[in-house]
């Protein structure tokens, strides 16, 4: 599976938000999208999925413009995981995850035992089967985010698109989400595109990075080449120190904010 954006541009009125965006991602890769608030990270996700129409450029799935694909073909290949917010609906976790099978059901069809089995398998795969009977409106943010990821996985997608999956979570749940993304890439060969506010998270899980800047420019390439001290200062307006260290034979990256750039 290969997903590409070529020369994508989008704006509101006379204001250009995204200008000449190009990138590609293949099965098993993780792409991190970074940038300060208001640079268009969520707009980028919507445009690349066709939820908003590019004013220039195109999104391609295996070489085909997604506007030429059927709704079913597109959403059986890619799945969207929105930011987790408190659920106002009293669905159990299992019922919520079963909803992810909608792209594989016919019009007015009811979920079958096979669909429920697929939902349980997705929950077991990421370690949340014990939550199947818990009501979504009684869940923590981390639990609900994992349920939303499981819901996306029930369609057996080849790519996940996740909008800030680790935001508003504590240290442990952030790590859980990142480890799930690593597992899906390494063991399931699923590609992922994630919006994140955390450069250190990009360095931990991503193969590639796309950095959106306030002046409309962008930087795309291998994550180590994009997430560096110079680019972080230019994009976020913060002087940072990036330190690589080892613990028990494994390398880690710390991105430490030092001061506001003048």
């Amino acid at each position: 599976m290969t997903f590409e954006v070529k020369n994508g541009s989008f704006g509101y009125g006379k204001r250009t938000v995204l200008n000449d965006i190009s990138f590609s991602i293949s099965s098993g890769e993780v792409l991190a999208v970074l940038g300060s608030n208001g640079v268009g990270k969520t707009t980028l996700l919507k445009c690349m999925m066709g939820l908003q129409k590019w004013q220039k450029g195109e999104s391609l799935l295996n070489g085909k413009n997604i506007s030429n694909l059927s709704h079913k073909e597109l959403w059986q290949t890619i799945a969207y995981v929105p930011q987790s917010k408190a659920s106002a609906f009293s669905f159990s976790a299992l019922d919520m995850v079963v909803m992810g099978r909608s792209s594989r059901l016919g019009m007015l069809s009811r979920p079958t035992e096979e669909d429920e089995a697929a939902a349980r398998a997705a929950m077991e795969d990421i370690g949340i089967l014990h939550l199947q009977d818990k009501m979504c409106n009684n869940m923590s943010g981390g639990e609900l985010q994992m349920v939303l990821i499981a819901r996306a996985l029930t369609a057996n997608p080849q790519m996940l698109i996740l909008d800030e999956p680790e935001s508003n979570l504590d240290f442990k749940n952030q790590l859980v989400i990142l480890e799930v993304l690593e597992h899906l890439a390494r063991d399931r060969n699923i590609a992922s595109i994630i919006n994140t506010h955390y450069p250190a998270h990009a360095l931990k899980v991503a193969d590639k990075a796309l950095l959106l800047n306030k002046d409309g420019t962008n930087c795309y390439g291998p994550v180590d080449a994009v997430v560096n001290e110079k680019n972080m200062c230019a994009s976020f307006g913060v002087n940072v120190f990036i330190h690589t260290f080892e613990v028990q034979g494994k390398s880690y990256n710390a991105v430490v904010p030092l001061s506001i750039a003048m």
Side-chain angles (χ1 to χ4, degrees), residues 92-101 119 122-123 147 150-151 154:
S92 70
L94 180 60
D95 288 340
M96 179 68 82
V97 175
V98 167
M99 292 178 190
R101 298 287 291 178
M123 297 178 78
V147 167
R151 182 178 68 176
T154 60

Side-chain angles (χ1 to χ4, degrees), residues 1-6 23-27 47-50 54 57-79 156-161 191-193:
M1 189 283 309
T2 300
F3 182 84
E4 301 172 87
V5 167
K6 290 187 176 181
F23 66 83
S24 67
I25 183 172
S26 298
S27 298
C47 288
M48 74 170 70
M49 292 184 289
W54 290 116
E58 59 184 349
S59 297
L60 304 171
L61 180 61
N62 296 326
K64 298 179 180 179
N65 190 309
I66 65 168
S67 63
N68 296 326
L69 300 178
S70 69
H71 183 274
K72 185 174 183 179
E73 184 178 0
L74 177 64
W75 294 109
Q76 284 185 356
T77 305
I78 67 175
N156 295 319
Q158 297 177 46
M159 184 173 75
L160 294 179
I161 298 175
S192 296
I193 298 176

Side-chain angles (χ1 to χ4, degrees), residues 38-55:
V39 296
K41 296 189 298 297
T42 297
T43 300
L44 172 65
L45 297 191
K46 292 178 179 179
C47 288
M48 74 170 70
M49 292 184 289
L51 301 179
Q52 287 181 313
K53 187 176 181 180
W54 290 116
Q55 292 172 342

